[in-house]
Amino acid sequence: MTEKMASVQWHPRERNYKAELESCRLERVAVEYGDYHPLKPITVTESKTKKMGRKESTSSSSSSCSSNSIVDPLSSVLDGTDPLSLFAATVETSNMQDGSKKKREQDDIVGSDFEPWSSKRGEILTRYTTTEKLSINLFMGSDRGKPTTPGSAVSEKVRTRLEELDDLEEGSQKELLNLTQQDYISRIEELNQSLKDAWASDQKVKALKIVIQCSKLLSDTAVIQFYPSKFVLITDILDTFGKLVYERILSMCVDNRTSLPANFSPDNVSDTAKETCLNWFFKIASIRELVPRFYVEAAILKCNKFLCKTGLSESLTRLTSMIKGIGDPLVSVYARAYLCRVGMEVAPNVKESLNRNFFDFLLTFKQIHSDTVQNQLAVQGVEVPIYLTLYSPAIDWILRCIAYRAPEALLTEMMERCKKQGNNALLLNSVMSAFRAEFIAARSMDFIGMIKECDEAGFPKHLLFRSLGLNVALADPPENDRLQILNEAWKVITKLRNPQDYINCAEVWVEYTCRHFTKREVNTILADVIKHMTPDRAFEDSYPQLQSVITKVIAHFHDFSVLFSIEKFLPFLDMFQKESVRVEVCKCIMEVFIKHQREVTKDPVILNALLHVCKTMHDSVNALTLEDEKRMLAHLINGFIRMVSFGRDFEQQLSFYVEARSMFCNLEPVLVQLIHSVNNLAMETKTVMKGNHSRKTASFVRACVAFCFITIPSLTSIFTRLNLYLHSGQVALANQCLSQADAFFKAAVSLVPEVPKTLSIDGKMRSSEAFLLEFLSNFFSTLLVVPDHPEQGVLFLVRGLLNVIEDFTWEDNSDDKVRIYSTVLHLLAALSQESYLYHVDKVDSNDNLYGGDTKFLSEINKLCDTLIGQILEHLKALGKEKTLKRQSFLALQLFNSILAHGDLRNNKLNQLAVNLWNLAQKHGFADTKTMVKTLDYIKRRSKQPNSGHFSDLAARLPLQSRT
């Protein structure tokens, strides 16, 4: 059969594309008002009929719909019952039932608007450090700490545990001296792990002893500047212990049948659990020292819920009173902070204890200036201002807990009590840190008056103005006070000598200035920052703060013409001399520009500034730059390029693209964007001239084409080059630049042999043939309208591309080469038509050039015969057992090509089609469903005028089953 196929000549059928298009159009049907329309909303009426049999339920559902309603198939199946609606109704009913319960519980739950302790933890550990040597007492376990055997007597067990508790007082500890801060932290972490291990191995007394030992460390202020960090580390252990005890008792209340509800009462707790809970409190009550006794009981405070309803409130009051016995004011205030922290977790509605803690602290505040404290500071060589800052985390936390959802009257009372303390700077700073920003901003002038009256010796005023600035940046002060607030604050800030202190304050007040004032005031602020940070290159130590300043400025000035008209903005950028930081700042600027710039621009101020910014980003690229980073930078630069437009001044636009190419040559995606932009510029020129180029515009378009032609070879991605050659050639052809279009297409043809067999895509190696097949299909579609060169042979480009395809090394198990040949058959069939399917305006394609010349058609037919011969040879080679399925698929594909493009009135071509049909189903690998549809199509075609030969063909096409 294959030999018969080889002698067939190609005979393309004549096409009337307009008639075919009309025959394929959908029938137009007028839709009257009220009739069904796919976009009309569906109306479903709920059925009240009880669900019975399937037949009855269907009828009831349909009868429930009005005559002009459309039945919802989902609702009809469910008999009008929508499960989502039922669920929503159930939830609504449940919400109504639980509404009062939730309201009662709301006060007992801390909302997401409360800043948790975990957010403060890292900040404290970072801020309060030391280089001095530290010491720690480690617990030395004994054999008696091991769990008793099942056979031991209960009295022996009790006696052993009492002895273990006494071990702590009898020197079963080891003191480690001369520890660095990191060593100290490591030891604390070891103790935390030891606690967990002891608990897991059922050594509860040992776990308690570890916690007691750690709590005792909180009474030690030997290295006082490290105390806040020590507090954080030790209370982590206490939190772990409290959680373990609570979960242990809770587990005793749960059996296989029931579990305690979320808001259980002591009546729900079993007697065994209550006894265990009391046992823990009795053990803790036997601790002799006040500080560990207080902390360990506070850690398990939540367990009071198991004992009595008022247990939490009573225990909070008692523990608040216990703190009065702690003599050291620093130890005392952190104990109050821990109690407030635990109180907010277990009983946030008990506000009296929180307020009492703060008021008691105010009463003992004078201890800070006592001789005992002053002597301690003198011994350790710590200055008073540094010492006072150690109180800030504790006082801030206490006030934050008090201020949470507190009425304004309470906040006003707190403010008045601070005044009675002589406007102490430490307290005032904590008030401004803890209270709501709206409350502070509304009273900004009052706070400024209090700040002025503060004694600067203990706590610097600039820190107070910084805290005030944080508030007025978040909430708006009264409009009439805004300028005075800025002037009062800046008078203090600008006098600061220390660059770090200065920039810490300036960074905060920049946002306030940007929010409420014009570029004139912002420019003044930036000038002042430059003045303070330039001497001795102080800016090198303050890059994070300077970045913050820039971020805040560009966040408020989205009009870049205004932003870059700020005189000191670019000089401010010049302070970022560390390349990595400078690039990050440039990226921030470009991200804001791309996000907020809505209209294209040609403002020279914006263009010059952003070109400088983009150039900075581009020049940071080197051999070590990651691909993701390159993509990000290219994305930002491309966003800028797309927003630049000089309107009808196309020559200026092209000059901009030329300049951009020279500046951003190391980023391939930017070059690709520039090529697309220049091609688009050429097409815009064609549109403006309505396709009739003048001498000037024709010269300009050729300049655009030349830009693309010399830029494409610099790209590394071969498929990017191929597609850009094709796209640019299409643009050149559309603008009647025929020789330039030929050059692009020839370049593409010569580049195809360089396509590698595999490509790296997302880190994986994939075959390149699928991409090549797609490109070649697009290329051949374009070649339909490309006229032959007068000095070259017929279909020079088509033949050249086919030669390249023939010489290309294809994969052994690939049929892509044959698929391409099928595509070329379609092209050649289109080329042989009297009038082509599509044309390029003002370009004479081969249908006009040759005018149906017989020699031209003969050349096409010869080429078709060669291709069919190649395809049939490939089908013959696939006649092996393992490739029969591929043979079947390709045979049917060629059959469809002949059916669509061939003239089946030719007997030889008709016979070839029949042979291919038989070959497709010869070995049982045919797609029966597809063949049935194909045969139905042929039968429908046979009913059309002048299509009798399709009836004969259909009669000769048997349809075999798989069996």
Side-chain angles (χ1 to χ4, degrees):
M1 182 175 63
T2 308
E3 288 76 3
K4 293 180 182 179
M5 292 180 183
S7 62
V8 174
Q9 290 187 342
W10 176 254
H11 292 273
R13 69 184 177 93
E14 294 182 5
R15 307 286 292 271
N16 186 334
Y17 292 118
K18 289 184 179 180
E20 289 181 27
L21 181 62
E22 287 298 325
S23 67
C24 294
R25 291 188 188 279
L26 294 175
E27 183 181 359
R28 295 176 182 175
V29 180
V31 179
E32 297 181 4
Y33 181 77
D35 289 349
Y36 168 72
H37 189 275
L39 299 183
K40 182 179 178 181
I42 295 175
T43 306
V44 180
T45 306
E46 183 180 0
S47 171
K48 301 297 183 183
T49 308
K50 290 184 179 180
K51 188 170 183 180
M52 299 173 67
R54 181 177 179 86
K55 188 172 183 179
E56 292 177 1
S57 102
T58 305
S59 62
S60 66
S61 176
S62 60
S63 64
S64 68
C65 297
S66 58
S67 59
N68 62 348
S69 300
I70 304 304
V71 179
D72 179 2
L74 295 179
S75 296
S76 63
V77 171
L78 296 165
D79 197 22
T81 305
D82 179 5
L84 296 180
S85 300
L86 285 177
F87 177 73
T90 305
V91 172
E92 185 177 355
T93 305
S94 176
N95 288 343
M96 291 175 63
Q97 294 174 349
D98 296 341
S100 57
K101 183 179 178 182
K102 286 186 177 180
K103 195 172 190 321
R104 289 195 305 270
E105 295 172 0
Q106 191 172 10
D107 293 336
D108 296 329
I109 301 173
V110 176
S112 59
D113 54 336
F114 181 75
E115 189 176 10
W117 171 257
S118 57
S119 65
K120 297 289 183 184
R121 183 183 179 280
E123 179 185 337
I124 295 172
L125 290 173
T126 303
R127 181 178 176 187
Y128 298 96
T129 59
T130 183
T131 56
E132 295 188 30
K133 298 301 181 180
L134 302 161
S135 63
I136 189 172
N137 292 325
L138 283 180
F139 169 68
M140 304 298 293
S142 65
D143 291 338
R144 288 179 295 181
K146 296 179 181 178
T148 56
T149 59
S152 355
V154 175
S155 58
E156 177 66 21
K157 189 176 182 180
V158 172
R159 186 171 68 254
T160 302
R161 288 188 173 177
L162 289 174
E163 289 174 353
E164 286 175 337
L165 281 175
D166 288 338
D167 275 349
L168 190 61
E169 309 299 333
E170 294 170 1
S172 60
Q173 304 173 66
K174 177 182 179 182
E175 185 174 16
L176 298 178
L177 304 174
N178 298 324
L179 297 177
T180 64
Q181 177 181 313
Q182 190 57 48
D183 291 338
Y184 188 90
I185 294 173
S186 299
R187 296 295 183 181
I188 294 293
E189 290 173 352
E190 288 176 11
L191 284 172
N192 200 354
Q193 188 59 45
S194 297
L195 166 65
K196 295 176 183 178
D197 294 342
W199 192 273
S201 59
D202 205 30
Q203 300 182 62
K204 304 296 188 297
V205 174
K206 180 179 179 181
L208 177 59
K209 292 172 73 174
I210 292 173
V211 175
I212 294 171
Q213 175 190 350
C214 292
S215 302
K216 289 182 69 175
L217 297 174
L218 290 174
S219 59
D220 176 24
T221 57
V223 184
I224 202 164
Q225 62 267 38
F226 184 66
Y227 190 84
S229 292
K230 181 196 292 187
F231 170 80
V232 169
L233 296 169
I234 299 300
T235 51
D236 283 349
I237 296 177
L238 291 166
D239 293 342
T240 301
F241 177 70
K243 183 180 178 182
L244 291 172
V245 173
Y246 182 83
E247 290 176 351
R248 163 73 173 159
I249 299 171
L250 184 64
S251 66
M252 301 175 73
C253 304
V254 180
D255 56 31
N256 294 330
R257 291 170 297 172
T258 59
S259 59
L260 286 180
N263 289 302
F264 62 87
S265 68
D267 298 334
N268 305 121
V269 180
S270 64
D271 292 340
T272 305
K274 285 183 178 179
E275 184 180 352
T276 304
C277 186
L278 280 170
N279 185 34
W280 276 108
F281 280 109
F282 290 155
K283 285 178 182 178
I284 293 168
S286 67
I287 300 173
R288 294 173 185 151
E289 295 187 29
L290 174 61
V291 171
R293 186 165 73 248
F294 163 80
Y295 273 105
V296 179
E297 183 175 350
I300 68 165
L301 182 66
K302 190 176 181 180
C303 295
N304 277 285
K305 291 175 64 177
F306 297 110
L307 299 177
C308 63
K309 293 181 179 179
T310 59
L312 286 171
S313 178
E314 292 172 356
S315 295
L316 280 169
T317 303
R318 179 170 50 79
L319 289 170
T320 301
S321 299
M322 282 175 63
I323 298 175
K324 294 180 180 179
I326 300 176
D328 191 303
L330 186 64
V331 177
S332 170
V333 75
Y334 275 93
R336 296 184 190 281
Y338 185 68
L339 187 59
C340 289
R341 180 175 136 202
V342 174
M344 285 298 289
E345 291 176 1
V346 300
N349 58 326
V350 185
K351 297 289 187 182
E352 295 80 6
S353 173
L354 298 174
N355 299 342
R356 177 76 179 278
N357 258 304
F358 182 68
F359 296 149
D360 286 350
F361 166 71
L362 291 180
L363 292 174
T364 60
F365 189 71
K366 293 180 181 178
Q367 287 182 321
I368 292 177
H369 304 289
S370 65
D371 292 341
T372 305
V373 173
Q374 296 300 321
N375 291 337
Q376 183 184 20
L377 297 181
V379 170
Q380 296 195 33
V382 177
E383 297 178 359
V384 173
I386 295 176
Y387 174 68
L388 290 177
T389 60
L390 302 179
Y391 284 81
S392 293
I395 301 174
D396 289 354
W397 182 257
I398 295 170
L399 286 171
R400 191 176 298 277
C401 295
I402 293 171
Y404 179 65
R405 294 181 180 174
E408 195 157 310
L410 176 62
L411 303 182
T412 305
E413 180 186 353
M414 294 289 178
M415 188 173 168
E416 292 301 321
R417 285 184 178 252
C418 287
K419 286 183 179 179
K420 290 179 181 179
Q421 292 291 334
N423 291 331
N424 183 274
L426 176 63
L427 293 177
L428 190 57
N429 188 66
S430 294
V431 166
M432 288 190 289
S433 299
F435 285 12
R436 294 193 300 271
E438 295 79 8
F439 178 88
I440 304 297
R443 298 162 178 77
S444 297
M445 292 308 300
D446 292 339
F447 277 98
I448 286 176
M450 294 168 68
I451 292 171
K452 286 182 176 179
E453 296 174 7
C454 285
D455 180 13
E456 196 169 9
F459 200 93
K461 284 186 180 180
H462 68 84
L463 293 181
L464 298 176
F465 275 108
R466 184 179 190 278
S467 298
L468 179 63
L470 289 170
N471 285 281
V472 295
L474 295 173
D476 299 336
E479 189 170 353
N480 295 334
D481 296 338
R482 290 174 185 173
L483 182 58
Q484 188 178 354
I485 291 169
L486 179 61
N487 288 335
E488 292 290 344
W490 207 256
K491 278 192 293 187
V492 174
I493 295 171
T494 194
K495 292 177 182 177
L496 294 173
R497 301 295 182 188
N498 186 304
Q500 198 62 44
D501 291 342
Y502 170 83
I503 195 61
N504 285 338
C505 295
E507 168 204 356
V508 171
W509 282 92
V510 162
E511 183 163 6
Y512 172 76
T513 309
C514 292
R515 282 186 60 164
H516 300 296
F517 299 98
T518 65
K519 68 175 186 178
R520 176 174 170 271
E521 288 79 9
V522 174
N523 189 62
T524 303
I525 297 289
L526 294 181
D528 197 60
V529 173
I530 294 171
K531 176 183 174 183
H532 280 78
M533 302 306 295
T534 303
D536 300 323
R537 301 178 67 85
F539 55 79
E540 292 182 344
D541 300 322
S542 306
Y543 282 136
Q545 292 88 344
L546 294 174
Q547 277 183 267
S548 176
V549 171
I550 282 288
T551 303
K552 290 169 182 175
V553 171
I554 62 178
H556 289 86
F557 286 87
H558 296 158
D559 186 343
F560 275 70
S561 60
V562 175
L563 179 65
F564 290 125
S565 65
I566 297 176
E567 183 183 352
K568 295 297 181 181
F569 183 77
L570 291 179
F572 190 93
L573 283 182
D574 290 337
M575 285 197 295
F576 295 97
Q577 296 188 8
K578 185 178 180 181
E579 186 182 57
S580 59
V581 179
R582 190 182 184 88
V583 171
E584 285 301 317
V585 171
C586 291
K587 284 164 66 175
C588 289
I589 294 173
M590 292 309 304
E591 284 169 358
V592 173
F593 176 79
I594 292 171
K595 182 177 180 181
H596 295 287
Q597 185 73 21
R598 298 298 179 207
E599 298 179 355
V600 294
T601 182
K602 62 177 180 179
D603 188 326
V605 174
I606 295 178
L607 296 188
N608 289 333
L610 291 185
L611 276 174
H612 172 70
V613 169
C614 291
K615 177 68 172 169
T616 300
M617 294 192 300
H618 169 270
D619 291 348
S620 68
V621 175
N622 55 45
L624 300 178
T625 305
L626 298 175
E627 288 301 319
D628 285 345
E629 178 70 9
K630 289 182 182 179
R631 275 193 291 270
M632 170 60 73
L633 296 177
H635 168 73
L636 296 174
I637 296 173
N638 285 342
F640 163 62
I641 290 172
R642 285 192 291 267
M643 294 305 297
V644 176
S645 174
F646 290 88
R648 289 291 183 90
D649 191 350
F650 291 163
E651 291 185 354
Q652 184 66 30
Q653 188 80 34
L654 182 59
S655 297
F656 169 77
Y657 291 144
V658 171
E659 182 182 3
R661 180 180 61 183
S662 65
M663 296 178 71
F664 311 127
C665 57
N666 290 333
L667 288 173
E668 187 161 309
V670 178
L671 296 179
V672 172
Q673 175 63 47
L674 289 171
I675 293 169
H676 284 304
S677 297
V678 171
N679 279 328
N680 186 58
L681 187 61
M683 295 307 294
E684 283 185 29
T685 306
K686 176 178 181 288
T687 303
V688 170
M689 299 302 295
K690 298 180 180 178
N692 299 310
H693 283 299
S694 65
R695 180 177 296 179
K696 183 177 179 181
T697 59
S699 176
F700 175 77
V701 168
R702 285 195 292 271
C704 292
V705 171
F707 176 98
C708 298
F709 193 76
I710 64 175
T711 306
I712 294 174
S714 63
L715 305 176
T716 56
S717 171
I718 192 162
F719 277 102
T720 301
R721 276 186 281 162
L722 283 171
N723 287 310
L724 286 175
Y725 274 134
L726 178 58
H727 180 65
S728 300
Q730 292 166 344
V731 170
L733 196 64
N735 285 280
Q736 300 109 53
C737 301
L738 300 185
S739 60
Q740 288 84 352
D742 265 351
F744 278 115
F745 297 142
K746 288 177 183 177
V749 171
S750 63
L751 188 60
V752 169
E754 298 179 21
V755 173
K757 287 188 176 182
T758 58
L759 298 171
S760 177
I761 300 175
D762 296 330
K764 296 181 179 179
M765 299 305 294
R766 292 179 56 186
S767 172
S768 64
E769 288 193 8
F771 301 98
L772 182 59
L773 185 63
E774 180 184 3
F775 166 75
L776 291 174
S777 297
N778 293 334
F779 198 175
F780 282 122
S781 298
T782 302
L783 292 181
L784 173 64
V785 293
V786 177
D788 280 346
H789 194 283
E791 298 178 4
Q792 306 289 348
V794 175
L795 302 179
F796 170 74
L797 288 172
V798 175
R799 291 177 182 276
L801 192 53
L802 283 173
N803 290 334
V804 168
I805 293 170
E806 176 66 26
D807 295 336
F808 190 81
T809 305
W810 300 90
E811 292 184 11
D812 295 336
N813 59 345
S814 171
D815 299 320
D816 287 336
K817 183 177 179 180
V818 173
R819 291 192 179 95
I820 293 171
Y821 285 163
S822 298
T823 301
V824 179
L825 281 178
H826 304 164
L827 168 65
L828 295 174
L831 281 166
S832 63
Q833 302 301 314
E834 187 175 338
S835 179
Y836 291 169
L837 176 60
Y838 46 85
H839 293 86
V840 175
D841 191 31
K842 295 187 174 18
V843 173
D844 289 331
S845 298
N846 285 337
D847 54 346
N848 291 326
L849 293 179
Y850 291 106
D853 182 73
T854 54
K855 291 183 179 180
F856 174 66
L857 297 178
S858 175
E859 288 294 329
I860 291 177
N861 289 335
K862 287 179 182 178
L863 202 52
C864 289
D865 294 343
T866 302
L867 292 175
I868 290 177
Q870 292 277 358
I871 295 173
L872 296 180
E873 284 296 326
H874 186 76
L875 286 173
K876 182 179 179 181
L878 292 177
K880 302 174 184 177
E881 185 177 353
K882 292 183 180 180
T883 55
L884 290 175
K885 188 173 183 180
R886 288 165 54 196
Q887 184 192 57
S888 173
F889 176 80
L890 290 175
L892 185 59
Q893 188 181 55
L894 182 57
F895 172 84
N896 287 328
S897 295
I898 294 173
L899 184 64
H901 301 282
D903 185 359
L904 291 172
R905 287 173 296 189
N906 179 275
N907 292 333
K908 291 185 178 181
L909 196 61
N910 194 302
Q911 183 61 46
L912 173 61
V914 172
N915 291 343
L916 289 169
W917 178 272
N918 293 330
L919 179 62
Q921 53 187 347
K922 178 179 180 182
H923 299 287
F925 290 102
D927 184 347
T928 307
K929 187 181 293 186
T930 301
M931 299 192 79
V932 168
K933 290 180 179 179
T934 304
L935 192 56
D936 288 342
Y937 166 76
I938 295 171
K939 290 177 180 177
R940 287 198 306 272
R941 282 287 302 272
S942 68
K943 297 176 183 178
Q944 295 179 4
N946 302 319
S947 300
H949 56 288
F950 279 103
S951 298
D952 298 335
L953 177 64
R956 299 175 62 197
L957 299 180
L959 195 62
Q960 300 173 4
S961 66
R962 285 182 179 272
T963 57

